[in-house]
Structure formats: structure tokens, C-alpha cells
Amino acid sequence: MKKHLSILFLSVYLLSVTQLVELIKLPVMVEHYVEHKEQNPNLTVLQFLCIHYQGPDVFDADYAKDMKLPFKSHTNISSVVFYPLIQEYETIQKVNFTYKKQNLYTYCFAYSSISLSSIWQPPRDC
């Protein structure tokens, strides 16, 4: 029971945090491939993948279905995708820092050496 429960929790976590949720869309991709195959019987799987995943998006009649394919659109809010939006970068000015060495720790002996040295003396006869 613990094994099944841990597999369930792990799968729920991975589907919510990572892009594995896109794998659920694989049946949509197979269905869309069958539709393209009916229109063009000579179409291979590799050609289908090149049409939909290589190059820019084509705005044709089945654009809405194209966007439902796996890894075509980012629907997961928790995923972070970085795109280089800024082409021009500003120059960064060099800042000179000076290093000032400070003696933060000083050795201070609060007790006199006479009182401490008397502790380690052998007992004396009065």
C-alpha cells in the first residue's frame, strides 16, 4: 500500500511541477497525425514532426489543433521559460572597490598573570 501511495504522490508532484504533463497530450498528437496522413498518404512521422516542431508556427486552418500538441505551448504556470527578449545590452560600468583591512579582533587578557600563576603552584607549608 505504501508503495502505491508513494508512486501516486510522486506522479502527482512530477505532473504538477515539471513538463511531464505534456506527455498526456500524446494521444492528441497521434490523432492529429492520422488526420494529416488521411490528407497526404505519403507523409511520414518524421515529416509530420518537422512540419509542426521545426521552424516558426504556421497560421493555417488547423492552427488551434497544432497548439494542442505536446510541447507546443506552455500551459503550466509554474514552469519558467527564458527567452532572450532584449537584443541590445547596456555596457556595465566598472566599479572600483577598495579593501580596507580592519583589525576587528584584539586579544585582551582581563586577568592578571599573578592571580592565574598562583593557581598552578604546589601547596605550601605555612
Side-chain angles (χ1 to χ4, degrees):
M1 181 66 183
K2 289 181 183 179
K3 182 179 178 181
H4 296 296
L5 193 61
S6 63
I7 291 173
L8 174 72
F9 284 143
L10 180 65
S11 60
V12 166
Y13 172 74
L14 288 176
L15 287 174
S16 65
V17 175
T18 64
Q19 288 294 324
L20 288 179
V21 73
E22 295 292 323
L23 296 180
I24 296 174
K25 297 179 184 179
L26 283 177
V28 175
M29 186 167 92
V30 172
E31 179 183 331
H32 194 61
Y33 172 70
V34 170
E35 290 174 1
H36 276 275
K37 188 75 170 173
E38 289 174 357
Q39 294 174 359
N40 184 5
N42 297 328
L43 185 70
T44 64
V45 175
L46 186 62
Q47 290 173 344
F48 172 78
L49 292 176
C50 288
I51 290 170
H52 289 91
Y53 289 100
Q54 187 179 16
D57 292 334
V58 179
F59 296 96
D60 53 359
D62 65 344
Y63 178 75
K65 288 184 181 180
D66 291 345
M67 288 297 115
K68 292 179 183 176
L69 295 176
F71 302 105
K72 277 300 267 189
S73 62
H74 301 284
T75 57
N76 194 357
I77 296 173
S78 66
S79 68
V80 179
V81 179
F82 295 102
Y83 291 108
L85 297 176
I86 301 172
Q87 297 296 328
E88 297 178 12
Y89 299 101
E90 296 180 14
T91 58
I92 299 174
Q93 296 178 355
K94 184 178 178 181
V95 178
N96 293 327
F97 290 103
T98 57
Y99 179 71
K100 183 178 178 184
K101 185 176 179 179
Q102 294 179 349
N103 193 4
L104 298 177
Y105 302 105
T106 58
Y107 183 71
C108 180
F109 197 72
Y111 303 105
S112 68
S113 62
I114 298 170
S115 62
L116 284 179
S117 66
S118 65
I119 295 175
W120 304 112
Q121 299 296 319
R124 295 184 186 158
D125 188 20
C126 295

